[in-house]
Amino acid sequence: MTATQTPAPQRPASFPPQHQDRRPGLEAAMHPAPESVSPIYKAAGKLMGKTAIITGGDSGIGRAVAVTFAKEGADVAIVFLNEQADAEETKRLVEQEGRRCLLFRGDIGDPAFCREAVEQTVRAFGKLDILVNNAAEQHPADSIVNITPEQLERTFRTNVFGMFHLTRAAVPHLKAGAAIINTTSVTAFRGNPTLVDYASSKGAQVAFTRSLALQLAEKGIRVNAVAPGPVWTPLIPSTFGAQEVARFGSETPLKRAAQPDELAPAYVYLASDDSSYVTGQVLHVNGGEIVGD
């Protein structure tokens, strides 16, 4: 008997105009809903017995990574800012795969919160193997003169300081074979005229990834990053106007935005032993944009 392969799902090429006033946005309010669980992904136990912390894991890329890690056998701790309903849905999806899931609500810009989230995860799961620094925020501005000191500090507090604080808390618990994965962005490599502060913070994440990889190599801890292009997540309708949302992703060579489940396998690769000789690198999952390092 010949096995049949499930065909790849059709991905939306455009989205209905929509906007959310609340940030970081609610996945449950998006239409269509982001695709977080791939119908064609086949797990192979690549993370069996591992434990992971994922920031921004309540929705979007973070949710897709959490669920896919669970499919591969990992227990997951989700760190999120304030979207409790989204976080509870992610927890349900992880537990549906037979894995444990912890939820930590708080601001990663607070080093004390980061330490507590790491310590509680280690107490509950007994160890920590994978850290995914995925949480981020962005605030479009047409001119640098419109980027206030408060906005600049807020963007870096989440995207850079939060990543630093959580990694600093996690590293003492990581052993040889552990992995750190940072979510940077295509904007770090090609820039964006309306996201100057965001793109700058994402560039800092690339430098952080490469530098920490060199520092931790002798300990056997790998540090890599994923640089997504446009992805259909709550960050989009909560950041851009309705008409911008309707055109979102159309400028890529593939003429569409990614769905979160299309990003998750890159994180599995970097978290698993499949990438045992990969550190200090950035995987570009961006719909065909050619960018330089």
Side-chain angles (χ1 to χ4, degrees):
M1 181 180 293
T2 303
T4 59
Q5 185 174 3
T6 304
Q10 291 293 316
R11 309 291 187 170
S14 61
F15 305 100
Q18 56 197 281
H19 177 73
Q20 297 183 31
D21 291 326
R22 178 177 175 176
R23 293 179 180 175
L26 185 65
E27 183 156 317
M30 296 173 68
H31 55 282
E35 298 169 23
S36 299
V37 183
S38 171
I40 62 172
Y41 185 84
K42 296 191 185 329
K46 292 184 176 183
L47 303 178
M48 191 61 65
K50 302 282 190 179
T51 66
I53 294 177
I54 304 171
T55 68
D58 54 308
S59 63
I61 295 171
R63 174 183 288 180
V65 172
V67 175
T68 310
F69 277 15
K71 286 179 179 291
E72 292 290 356
D75 294 321
V76 180
I78 299 300
V79 177
F80 66 102
L81 182 60
N82 54 30
E83 304 295 357
Q84 187 72 37
D86 277 352
E88 293 289 350
E89 175 61 12
T90 302
K91 184 174 188 287
R92 184 190 71 80
L93 291 169
V94 168
E95 291 177 343
Q96 187 173 279
E97 299 298 331
R99 308 311 304 180
R100 294 176 291 174
C101 185
L102 302 175
L103 299 181
F104 298 106
R105 180 172 179 168
D107 184 355
I108 58 172
D110 178 2
F113 168 72
C114 291
R115 287 194 302 271
E116 185 62 23
V118 169
E119 290 169 5
Q120 286 193 36
T121 299
V122 173
R123 283 199 295 270
F125 293 159
K127 59 176 182 171
L128 179 61
D129 303 294
I130 305 160
L131 171 62
V132 179
N133 289 304
N134 172 71
E137 62 178 89
Q138 62 184 21
H139 307 274
D142 290 334
S143 170
I144 192 170
V145 302
N146 296 327
I147 299 175
T148 65
E150 292 77 18
Q151 176 181 318
L152 179 65
E153 182 176 351
R154 179 174 172 177
T155 299
F156 271 75
R157 186 169 182 257
T158 297
N159 300 358
V160 180
F161 297 170
M163 173 188 64
F164 191 98
H165 295 324
L166 198 62
T167 303
R168 183 172 182 269
V171 162
H173 300 280
L174 300 178
K175 302 187 183 326
I180 298 171
I181 308 167
N182 303 317
T183 302
T184 180
S185 169
V186 66
T187 63
F189 298 88
R190 62 155 165 77
N192 186 300
T194 63
L195 295 171
V196 172
D197 52 340
Y198 174 80
S200 299
S201 72
K202 291 297 176 177
Q205 290 180 331
V206 173
F208 176 86
T209 298
R210 292 170 173 167
S211 299
L212 192 64
L214 295 173
Q215 183 181 106
L216 297 181
E218 65 180 18
K219 298 180 182 297
I221 300 169
R222 297 178 298 104
V223 187
N224 293 288
V226 178
V231 186
W232 185 234
T233 74
L235 189 65
I236 304 312
S238 69
T239 297
F240 298 115
Q243 294 308 314
E244 291 176 282
V245 170
R247 299 188 300 269
F248 180 67
S250 62
E251 76 285 357
T252 68
L254 290 183
K255 304 300 182 187
R256 66 173 178 86
Q259 292 293 325
D261 67 327
E262 296 180 278
L263 275 291
Y267 291 80
V268 171
Y269 169 69
L270 292 175
S272 73
D273 291 338
D274 285 353
S275 60
S276 58
Y277 198 57
V278 179
T279 196
Q281 305 304 310
V282 180
L283 293 187
H284 296 275
V285 189
N286 63 23
E289 293 197 54
I290 307 301
V291 294
D293 289 336

